[in-house]
RNA sequence: GCGGGCGUGGCGGAAUGGCAGACGCACCAGACUUAGGAUCUGGCGGGAAACCGUGGAGGUUCAAGUCCUCUCGCCCGCACCA
């Protein structure tokens, strides 16, 4: 008999037990339904924070619950271990990124293990290990072979102080996240993945993702940004060049009074050449160059521009309109050029006002009171066409179609779909990433590294000084190579891949973690994939989740896997807050999981974090709340210690037919709790209410202590179930108490209990009597009493009689076993 | 500006249209104790009560935290996307 609950001792004991007996090791088993539970793998920063604990605690409840319900569960863990922080550590402290990373992984793995999560550690992966990044490179080659990886010159984020390129995600509000210097754009040759080829499918298949939060689907939909319209070309006066524009409002094409090009548009210098405006145009382009990209794309920026001196011909009416350049037109959307319709576009309207350009109304509102003669703002609403030649009188919708049809018939333009989504820039001028497996041969040009030569290994001896180029550029043994095709001296690509590439396919690798020649075995992947439940922070709503979807579709297309989507169900967990804001070092409000575990144990930490709030919502950290969960576990401990002797020797089985009312009440509570906890986990992931139901059962058991003639078999039933129900949340204490109450095998191997519907049928229920919707009285009646009987009981009730005396009863509403509502006048 | 979410006791949070505040924390009182920051018991939205209470104003309904309309506040995402 143990007197005191000592979490650290029993947690170590059971973690060792699970470890030694390969408890959570999984393999394919066609006889059982599979369940793939996955939490987003962490970057190994070196210490676990509360957000991780929350993420993995949620995942563990689901994984354990499913396993106990007969599923063959895959629940792996690994490390997203390439990336900038390791290299920064190298620059700052002179530690090699590999050494830094691997020691962080060791440290974090130790911390993770103290949480008692049911991981199959045999499947652990680290994206920075050659046996993993070999296949990240394999993915690159497959994409390249299929025309989905290409190189082009592009403007990238450049920090002038650090002298290096930054990933988009390392740019925070237009500044470098490390030194807070304003980020510039710099043109460099870069590798891209053609995710835009998949834009429509990425958009369409969102419909299939019923298990995803709408919020995330909406964010992806907006990010993809599909818009329908048409693209058409205009002749430029005195030039052979054509000017192509994209518009979603072809119905307003008769309202075009000028054209606008982005200042970077290649046609600008051509058309301005030799005009009196040439100097002004050059000056304006120079001016725009000095405005940062962030300010450039801000709606607050004042719209400015300059006339190019050239004119375009509107193909619909032959009208000559001036071509301007302006800061509000962006080169990287559409064609980098627009037709300006100031009467029906607010931006064009403001610009036209400022530069005294004509405004011509071509859409009239259907609302006759809406006299829009003196336009104060652009009119973007519905209506019918005017001033539009043969098209007058058509509605906006009809007009769009008819104009496009006309353009197509006359070879002016055609219907087009435009996406906001851009191709994915994957080059990084950094060391600590997967090298891009390409070779540049003076004879053969760019040549992919043959599959059999993978991996292209990262060299170890590298100087990390900041130069603005990849450190690999200075490692001769790395870049000097021979062409795989012709054998002549060639140079390796020295850029490495964005770490999002590594995390776009890792969930497949867990299915075949040790496979040598292929990223995964199709049979194994097709057994496990798709992930049944994916859990992580909402900050990955777009980037990671979109890239992973893209990779999955690509792998489907090349017949490597059978699923079109990687994650059937997605749970986006809320943040862990302290004093109302996100835990961060700079705010000094960080609570370390290590400290909490040391003090209270992992069971308490897990329980608190699951109890304090439903998983999707933000969670406010409370030291006192933790204390409360610790007290609860102590109460459970004592409860079992006190009751154990009672049923230790008594193996009599429970006779449910002869329960006294007090026992029946406890018996009811046991089954009601099984039902509630099962439903809360299974249907809604509402762990907080599941835990509170378990607390209620424990409270019932506690008050049962006062009962004189206790029923040992009933207590045993209650305690067994209590421990099983609590075990996914706080597994160690439950294993320990399970063993102490005489069970031979692990509680994890217990089947999840089923509630007995008969146990939930009570003899008597409490009902409420309302008068006109207000509760006036409570009565106890036999369950399922007849409506007429209930009405009579209510009307005969003295309190109700007094209140209804002399009033007319309009009607009586009876909700079975709940309430009787007497409506009076 | 557009899109999404959230407003319930002192706090975290519960409530298939059917008893608002489950469960926990904090607090108060009592018990046990040399002691209590341990444990146990009880209380705990406001109000003396009738009653009043889910950000605010209307509405639907026998019945609204829940449904509808308007409105205020906070949080998150996107933001000159043609």
């Amino acid at each position: 008999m143990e007197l005191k609950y000592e979490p650290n001792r029993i947690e170590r004991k059971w973690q060792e037990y699970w470890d030694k007996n390969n408890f959570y090791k999984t393999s394919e088993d066609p006889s059982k339904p599979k369940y793939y539970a996955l939490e987003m793998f962490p970057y190994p920063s070196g210490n676990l924070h509360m957000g991780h604990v929350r993420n993995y605690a949620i995942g563990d409840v689901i994984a354990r619950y499913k396993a106990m319900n007969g599923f063959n569960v895959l629940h792996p863990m690994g490390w997203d271990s390439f990336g900038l922080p390791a290299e920064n550590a190298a620059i700052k402290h002179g530690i090699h990124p590999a050494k830094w990373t691997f020691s962080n992984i060791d440290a974090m793995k130790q911390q993770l293990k103290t949480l008692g999560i049911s991981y199959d550690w045999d499947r652990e992966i680290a994206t920075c290990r050659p046996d993993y990044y070999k296949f990240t490179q394999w993915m690159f080659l497959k994409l390249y072979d299929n025309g989905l990886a290409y190189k082009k010159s592009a403007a990238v984020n450049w920090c002038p102080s650090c002298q290096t390129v930054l990933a988009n995600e390392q740019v925070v509000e237009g500044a470098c996240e490390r030194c807070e210097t304003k980020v510039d754009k710099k043109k460099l040759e870069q590798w891209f993945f053609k995710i835009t080829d998949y834009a429509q499918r990425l958009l369409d298949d969102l419909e299939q993702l019923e298990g995803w939060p709408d919020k995330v689907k909406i964010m992806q939909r907006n990010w993809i940004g599909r818009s329908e319209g048409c693209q058409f070309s205009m002749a430029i006066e005195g030039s052979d060049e054509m000017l192509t524009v994209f518009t979603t409002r072809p119905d307003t094409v008769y309202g075009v009074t000028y054209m606008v090009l982005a200042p970077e548009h290649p046609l600008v210098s051509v058309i301005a050449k030799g005009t009196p405006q040439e100097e002004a145009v050059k000056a304006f382009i120079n001016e725009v160059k000095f405005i940062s990209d962030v300010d450039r794309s801000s709606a607050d920026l004042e719209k400015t521009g300059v006339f190019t001196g050239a004119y375009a011909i509107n193909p619909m009416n032959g009208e000559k309109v001036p071509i301007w350049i302006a800061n509000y037109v962006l080169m990287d959307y559409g064609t980098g050029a627009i037709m300006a319709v100031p009467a029906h576009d607010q931006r064009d309207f403001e610009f036209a006002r400022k530069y005294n350009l004509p405004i011509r109304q071509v859409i009239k509102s259907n609302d006759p009171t809406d006299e829009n003669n003196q336009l104060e703002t652009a009119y973007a609403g519905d209506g019918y066409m005017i001033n539009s030649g043969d098209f007058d009188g058509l509605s906006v919708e009809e007009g769009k179609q008819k104009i496009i049809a006309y353009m197509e018939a006359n070879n002016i333009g055609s219907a087009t779909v435009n996406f906001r989504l851009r191709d994915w820039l994957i080059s990084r001028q950094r060391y600590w990433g997967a090298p891009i497996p390409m070779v540049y041969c003076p004879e053969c040009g760019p040549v992919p590294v043959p599959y059999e030569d993978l991996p292209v290994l990262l060299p170890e001896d590298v100087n990390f000084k900041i130069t603005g180029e990849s450190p690999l550029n200075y490692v001769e043994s790395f870049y000097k190579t021979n062409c795989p095709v012709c054998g002549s001296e060639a140079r390796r690509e020295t850029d490495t891949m964005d770490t999002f590439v590594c995390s776009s396919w890792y969930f497949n690798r867990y299915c075949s973690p040790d496979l040598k020649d292929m990223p995964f075995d199709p049979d194994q992947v097709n057994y496990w994939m798709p992930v049944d439940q994916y859990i992580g922070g909402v900050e990955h709503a777009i980037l990671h989740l979109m890239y992973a979807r893209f990779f999955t579709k690509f792998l489907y297309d090349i017949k490597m896997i059978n699923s079109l989507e990687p994650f059937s169900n997605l749970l986006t967990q809320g943040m862990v807050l302290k004093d109302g804001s996100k835990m961060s070092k700079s705010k000094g409000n960080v609570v370390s999981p290590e400290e909490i575990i040391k003090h209270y144990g992992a069971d308490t930490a897990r329980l608190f974090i699951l109890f304090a709030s439903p998983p999707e919502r933000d969670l406010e950290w409370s030291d006192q709340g933790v204390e409360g969960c610790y007290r609860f576990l102590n109460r459970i401990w004592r409860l079992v210690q006190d009751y154990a002797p009672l049923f230790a020797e008594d193996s009599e089985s429970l006779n449910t037919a002869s329960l006294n009312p007090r026992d029946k009440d406890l018996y009811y509570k046991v089954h009601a709790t099984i039902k509630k906890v099962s439903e809360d986990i299974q249907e809604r992931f509402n762990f907080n209410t599941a835990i509170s139901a378990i607390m209620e059962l424990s409270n019932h058991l506690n008050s049962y202590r006062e009962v004189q003639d206790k029923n040992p078999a009933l207590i045993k039933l209650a305690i067994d179930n209590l421990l099983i129900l609590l075990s996914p949340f706080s597994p160690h204490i439950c294993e320990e108490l399970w063993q102490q109450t005489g069970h031979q095998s692990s509680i994890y191997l217990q089947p999840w209990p089923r509630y007995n519907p008969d146990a939930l049928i009570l003899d008597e229920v409490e009902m409420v009597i309302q008068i006109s919707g207000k509760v006036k009285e409570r009565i106890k009646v036999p369950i399922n009493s007849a409506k007429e009987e209930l009405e009579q009981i209510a009307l005969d009730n003295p309190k109700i009689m007094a209140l209804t005396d002399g009033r007319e009863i309009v009607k009586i509403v009876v909700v079975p076993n709940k309430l009787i509502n007497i409506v009076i006048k």
Side-chain angles (χ1 to χ4, degrees), chain A residues 378-390:
Chain A
Y379 177 71
D382 203 4
Y384 59 92
M385 294 171 69
I386 56 169
N387 300 325
S388 299
D390 294 344

Side-chain angles (χ1 to χ4, degrees), chain A residues 28 111 196 424 431 453 509 566 602 664 825:
Chain A
E28 295 77 31
Q111 292 175 51
T196 52
W424 173 13
Y431 166 73
D453 292 352
R509 183 67 183 172
K664 178 125 200 197
K825 236 183 202 166

Side-chain angles (χ1 to χ4, degrees), chain A residues 27-40:
Chain A
S27 56
E28 295 77 31
D29 177 354
S31 71
K32 280 183 177 177
K34 67 94 184 179
Y35 194 88
Y36 189 172
L38 185 66
E39 298 106 57
M40 291 178 183

Side-chain angles (χ1 to χ4, degrees), chain A residues 19-35:
Chain A
D19 232 18
K20 275 202 192 105
N21 294 281
N22 286 322
F23 239 67
Y24 306 114
K25 195 168 161 48
T26 335
S27 56
E28 295 77 31
D29 177 354
S31 71
K32 280 183 177 177
K34 67 94 184 179
Y35 194 88

Side-chain angles (χ1 to χ4, degrees), chain A residues 134-135 137-138 141 448-456 484 516-517:
Chain A
K134 172 180 177 178
F135 297 111
Q137 292 170 340
W138 186 98
L141 292 179
V449 174
Y451 288 90
E452 59 270 23
D453 292 352
L454 295 183
V456 175
K516 295 278 183 280
D517 337 313

Side-chain angles (χ1 to χ4, degrees), chain A residues 647-807:
Chain A
F647 60 81
E649 301 105 65
D650 197 331
S651 59
E652 216 173 297
S653 67
L654 182 65
N655 180 1
T656 52
S658 62
L659 293 176
N660 64 39
R662 189 73 209 244
D663 288 358
K664 178 125 200 197
D665 182 57
L666 180 57
Y667 183 66
Y668 168 86
K669 192 68 191 174
V670 171
H671 286 275
T673 308
I674 294 170
K675 182 170 193 277
K676 171 89 177 140
V677 173
S678 307
E679 287 173 356
D680 280 353
I681 297 177
Q682 172 112 21
E683 284 161 28
R684 323 184 295 163
F685 297 142
N686 277 8
F687 307 129
N688 55 335
T689 50
I691 293 166
S692 70
I694 297 171
M695 287 173 170
E696 284 183 55
L697 176 59
S698 126
N699 290 345
H700 266 67
L701 263 166
N702 228 354
S703 45
Y704 189 80
R705 286 171 134 125
E706 293 158 20
V707 172
Q708 292 303 313
D709 48 342
K710 297 185 185 67
N711 183 332
L714 176 62
I715 294 172
K716 182 167 167 52
L717 174 88
I719 286 183
D720 280 357
N721 279 294
L722 175 76
L723 293 177
I724 296 173
L725 296 176
L726 184 62
S727 70
F729 305 98
S730 294
H732 310 84
I733 188 176
C734 295
E735 281 280 30
E736 177 66 21
L737 293 173
W738 187 253
Q739 187 189 50
Q740 283 183 28
T741 49
H743 299 279
Q744 300 302 314
S745 77
S746 162
I747 196 167
Y748 179 70
L749 302 174
Q750 281 300 304
W752 191 257
R754 307 278 152 209
Y755 68 91
N756 173 7
D758 293 338
L760 299 181
I761 300 167
L762 296 165
D763 302 331
E764 224 180 20
V765 286
E766 190 186 72
M767 288 184 71
V768 162
I769 307 175
Q770 295 181 329
I771 290 182
S772 297
K774 305 270 183 229
V775 179
K776 297 293 178 185
E777 181 70 308
R778 288 150 203 282
I779 51 169
K780 284 215 159 168
V781 293
I783 194 162
N784 297 331
S785 298
K787 189 172 184 252
E788 296 73 24
E789 222 172 299
L790 290 168
E791 286 177 12
Q792 207 48 53
I793 294 169
L795 293 171
D796 290 347
N797 184 286
K799 205 165 165 185
I800 299 304
M801 280 174 82
L803 287 160
T804 53
D805 187 38
R807 312 289 292 269

